[in-house]
Amino acid sequence: MKKVKVALIGSGNISYIYLNTLVNGGFSIIEVVGCSDIVPEKSKARAELFGIRDMTNEEILNDPEIEIVLNTTQGFAHHEVTEQILKAGKHVYSEKALDTSFAAAKELYDLADSKGLRIGAAPDCYMGSAYQTARKLVDDGWLGVPLFANAFCYRGYGMHERDGEPANPKFGMKGTTIHYDMSGYYYNVLISLLGPVRRVSGYSRHFDRVYTNPRHESYKKPVRKLGGSSVSMGALEFHEGCYANVVMTSEGMGPEIPRVEIFGTQGNLYLPDPNCFGGWGNDIYAQRIGSMEKFKIPFTHGFSDTDPSVIPRSGKYEACFNSHRGVAVVDMAWAIRRDRPHRSSAELALHAVEIADAIDKSEATNQTIVLTSKPERPAPLAAGLFNRSAEASIDNI
């Protein structure tokens, strides 16, 4: 099978784990050609670390052999960069979210469709061992009929306490805050388990803060607001009848509290942080009808997180360095060669943005929002395949 050549645009924090997965993961279908960044020193460092080419955006877009471009730029830049990639005739896999609004995401969706190109977006943690095991339990009927889901992410970013503003002056604009950034992890795992969402009601707002650090130049002045929500709650109704509440905030205190729970007619599932792939404390617990005892479920699938104590290749902390982020790019590559749908589809990416957008719209209009997108559930991976053989679990459709 001819390898699919891939390049990466945006060699910032999250680029490490994508390159590590795709270059060092042992996948037979992928060949990483190079990477670029608006700051040349960043792409040069990544290229040297992973033994790939240090390229410019133009070199990537004009290389006829590169088929997939991975867009790991910051959220506010996703639209422009993804549009450039599509216009260059290449498939795109984007960091989450696909875009900063549903209308903008739909433009990219329509552009890709008009050109016959594939587009997809992170997160792909639903393809990890924890949530694929959960998917098998749901599909096998362990819960009976799913009734309710509870998804909860309580974080504290503490921007009001720092010495200065974030390096990125656009941080805080609509589509870049926790309401879009973290919610995608929860939406994707819920959609994988329960199917697409039919309608949404919600509340969202930016929590008013003042700078509390006496060393800050804006001490006691209001924290700037750029339109993004830092507190949100959504009530979701799925097409299959299950209900879920999704709560997001970056205004709490540490430590983070991530929670996903599903309650059914015959059992309950208590699931780990969807920001992780599974293992190292991110485990699954279940209850079955007739007993209130919780018991741990062994994983049925591969792609668990790796040992978090193993230092990254760069010798310093890297974001999500012990995960398998990027397996959805591998799936896209196999899908191209097999001429089949890829799991992290354009429809899934669009749906996740529409859910977040609908919560804001519900807040603004005081109405329940009926969604227009309806993706298929991503196909499950094959069970029982681990380590090097795990690639075969991807190419099983």
Side-chain angles (χ1 to χ4, degrees):
M1 187 71 70
K2 182 182 177 183
K3 290 179 180 288
V4 175
K5 293 189 177 183
V6 177
L8 176 146
I9 294 178
S11 300
N13 291 338
I14 201 62
S15 67
Y16 172 88
I17 186 54
Y18 277 101
L19 291 172
N20 194 52
T21 296
L22 298 177
V23 173
N24 300 313
F27 297 108
S28 64
I29 195 64
I30 288 283
E31 179 184 344
V32 180
V33 175
C35 61
S36 68
D37 195 89
I38 194 171
V39 180
E41 292 78 13
K42 290 185 177 181
S43 58
K44 182 176 184 293
R46 290 298 195 220
E48 291 176 351
L49 182 63
F50 291 102
I52 57 178
R53 288 175 56 196
D54 178 17
M55 305 176 72
T56 64
N57 289 7
E58 290 71 24
E59 288 173 330
I60 290 174
L61 297 177
N62 292 328
D63 189 329
E65 294 191 345
I66 294 173
E67 296 181 64
I68 300 175
V69 179
L70 178 52
N71 178 5
T72 52
T73 60
Q74 297 191 70
F76 64 85
H78 285 177
H79 187 97
E80 179 182 0
V81 174
T82 293
E83 184 178 48
Q84 291 173 352
I85 296 167
L86 291 171
K87 287 182 176 179
K90 302 183 185 301
H91 308 291
V92 183
Y93 184 84
S94 175
E95 244 299 272
K96 74 336 171 175
L98 178 61
D99 216 316
T100 57
S101 72
F102 176 66
K106 186 65 164 58
E107 289 179 8
L108 295 177
Y109 176 90
D110 290 341
L111 177 60
D113 184 60
S114 70
K115 290 182 169 292
L117 294 169
R118 295 174 186 262
I119 188 172
D124 55 4
C125 302
Y126 72 91
M127 294 176 67
S129 56
Y131 278 92
Q132 284 299 304
T133 299
R135 170 70 179 266
K136 179 170 173 53
L137 293 173
V138 172
D139 288 354
D140 288 351
W142 269 52
L143 302 185
V145 178
L147 299 172
F148 296 98
N150 177 42
F152 186 88
C153 184
Y154 175 85
R155 278 186 167 189
Y157 285 172
M159 292 298 178
H160 57 293
E161 298 175 348
R162 298 185 181 182
D163 286 341
E165 294 286 6
N168 170 17
K170 293 187 177 182
F171 186 91
M173 67 179 289
K174 187 177 184 295
T176 67
T177 59
I178 191 169
H179 176 57
Y180 272 74
D181 178 55
M182 282 306 301
S183 64
Y185 295 92
Y186 293 79
Y187 298 151
N188 276 16
V189 299
L190 290 174
I191 294 164
S192 174
L193 296 173
L194 303 171
V197 175
R198 188 174 84 86
R199 57 181 181 165
V200 173
S201 295
Y203 306 91
S204 64
R205 66 188 175 109
H206 184 283
F207 192 80
D208 291 331
R209 292 272 198 179
V210 298
Y211 288 98
T212 58
N213 187 340
R215 297 185 300 274
H216 198 288
E217 61 182 16
S218 299
Y219 179 52
K220 291 188 176 181
K221 294 181 181 179
V223 176
R224 61 186 184 147
K225 290 192 285 189
L226 294 177
S229 303
S230 60
V231 181
S232 66
M233 180 174 69
L236 281 51
E237 179 192 50
F238 292 81
H239 280 274
E240 294 299 318
C242 190
Y243 300 118
N245 69 286
V246 180
V247 174
M248 296 281 137
T249 185
S250 57
E251 299 291 354
M253 61 181 185
E256 178 178 345
I257 302 174
R259 182 173 295 152
V260 179
E261 303 162 322
I262 302 178
F263 303 95
T265 56
Q266 297 184 39
N268 304 325
L269 280 179
Y270 303 90
L271 303 172
D273 186 350
N275 199 11
C276 304
F277 280 69
W280 306 98
N282 289 295
D283 301 312
I284 297 174
Y285 290 85
Q287 290 173 316
R288 287 279 286 167
I289 191 168
S291 173
M292 292 306 293
E293 179 184 358
K294 290 183 182 180
F295 54 93
K296 184 177 176 179
I297 302 289
F299 292 152
T300 57
H301 288 69
F303 300 123
S304 296
D305 290 315
T306 59
D307 187 346
S309 69
V310 175
I311 299 173
R313 295 167 59 89
S314 62
K316 62 180 181 179
Y317 174 80
E318 300 280 0
C320 309
F321 67 90
N322 67 317
S323 72
H324 280 92
R325 289 163 198 262
V327 290
V329 182
V330 178
D331 176 65
M332 182 183 281
W334 275 113
I336 291 169
R337 291 291 179 262
R338 300 295 195 195
D339 193 25
R340 62 159 172 84
H342 57 285
R343 290 176 171 88
S344 287
S345 65
E347 291 77 16
L348 177 61
L350 187 67
H351 195 56
V353 175
E354 187 174 17
I355 295 170
D357 199 77
I359 292 173
D360 284 339
K361 187 179 294 184
S362 178
E363 165 66 30
T365 63
N366 199 30
Q367 294 180 340
T368 296
I369 309 301
V370 178
L371 303 188
T372 60
S373 58
K374 187 183 177 184
E376 297 290 332
R377 293 170 75 198
L381 275 65
L385 297 173
F386 299 88
N387 301 323
R388 292 286 180 174
S389 62
E391 183 174 11
S393 70
I394 296 175
D395 186 39
N396 73 309
I397 299 177

